[in-house]
Amino acid sequence: MRLQWKPWRPRFPRAAMLAGAILLAPQAHAAPDWLYQAGNRLEAIADTGATDLYLSGYAHHGRGTYTRERLAELNEQAWGVGIGRRLRNDRGNDEMVYALGLSDSHRKPQLMAGYGHEWIQPLGAGLEAGGGFTAMLMSRADYFHGIPFPMVLPIVSLGSRDIKLRASYVPRLSQHKGNGDVLLVFFSMRL
């Protein structure tokens, strides 16, 4: 079965769709059925999902994984903004495609675009909690000379269906004391 994409939708950020396509379709000309279905799913999210605004503001660097001197150099004010589309699926969970830019730990631009899936648990009184993952392409000046690279991270959320406090965690990838874990905290709000 051949993967066929409909024309790009001008009302949705092309970067998020491109990231999803790159992550899910490295060889679209020989796409298996699951890849065709994934492409259709991304398109459904982009076409029928609610539009969300993302506001980033805080990146907590693990106090036990960085030296005191290194922590003094790092930026924890990760201000940024993004946009995405989110669809509550037939199982009551959220799927999203997004593009987000923020100030990284070195006060340089960090750009991300990708797909996220959260399993939603209602808490009552209009509140809900979510947990899941995001698969994305990320671009940072200090990794691969700014060339986008793939990354999969956990995400959690707490709030109402339309306004949520969200967080994603980057685990420590090195035993070197200069590189540690980071917790990124941000808001999402339905437009």
Side-chain angles (χ1 to χ4, degrees), residues 18-145:
L18 180 59
I22 289 170
L23 288 169
L24 297 175
Q27 296 181 356
H29 65 277
D33 191 48
W34 68 267
L35 192 54
Y36 177 77
Q37 291 173 2
N40 285 342
R41 192 73 198 141
L42 289 173
E43 190 169 33
I45 297 166
D47 286 348
T48 61
T51 301
D52 285 338
L53 174 69
Y54 297 100
L55 298 173
S56 171
Y58 184 66
H60 177 81
H61 296 81
R63 299 308 192 246
T65 58
Y66 288 95
T67 64
R68 187 174 305 155
E69 296 77 23
R70 185 74 172 135
L71 284 169
E73 298 171 0
L74 296 174
N75 174 35
E76 291 195 325
Q77 304 304 314
W79 298 112
V81 65
I83 194 160
R85 300 281 278 182
R86 177 180 39 88
L87 181 67
R88 181 76 37 112
N89 65 26
D90 56 359
R91 294 183 177 176
N93 301 315
D94 283 347
E95 294 181 79
M96 60 207 88
V97 289
Y98 63 89
L100 174 65
L102 55 87
S103 176
D104 75 5
S105 300
H106 309 289
R107 295 170 181 81
K108 305 271 189 213
Q110 176 175 316
L111 306 174
M112 300 167 281
Y115 167 84
H117 186 104
E118 276 191 315
W119 289 270
I120 301 298
Q121 178 63 50
L123 301 176
L127 290 177
E128 58 188 34
F133 70 93
T134 179
M136 70 177 122
L137 289 177
M138 179 185 291
S139 173
R140 288 178 53 116
D142 56 342
Y143 289 96
F144 311 111
H145 307 287

Side-chain angles (χ1 to χ4, degrees), residues 58-62 156 167-170 181-185:
Y58 184 66
H60 177 81
H61 296 81
V156 294
S168 184
Y169 178 73
V170 181
D181 57 329
V182 179
L183 178 70
L184 176 65
V185 180

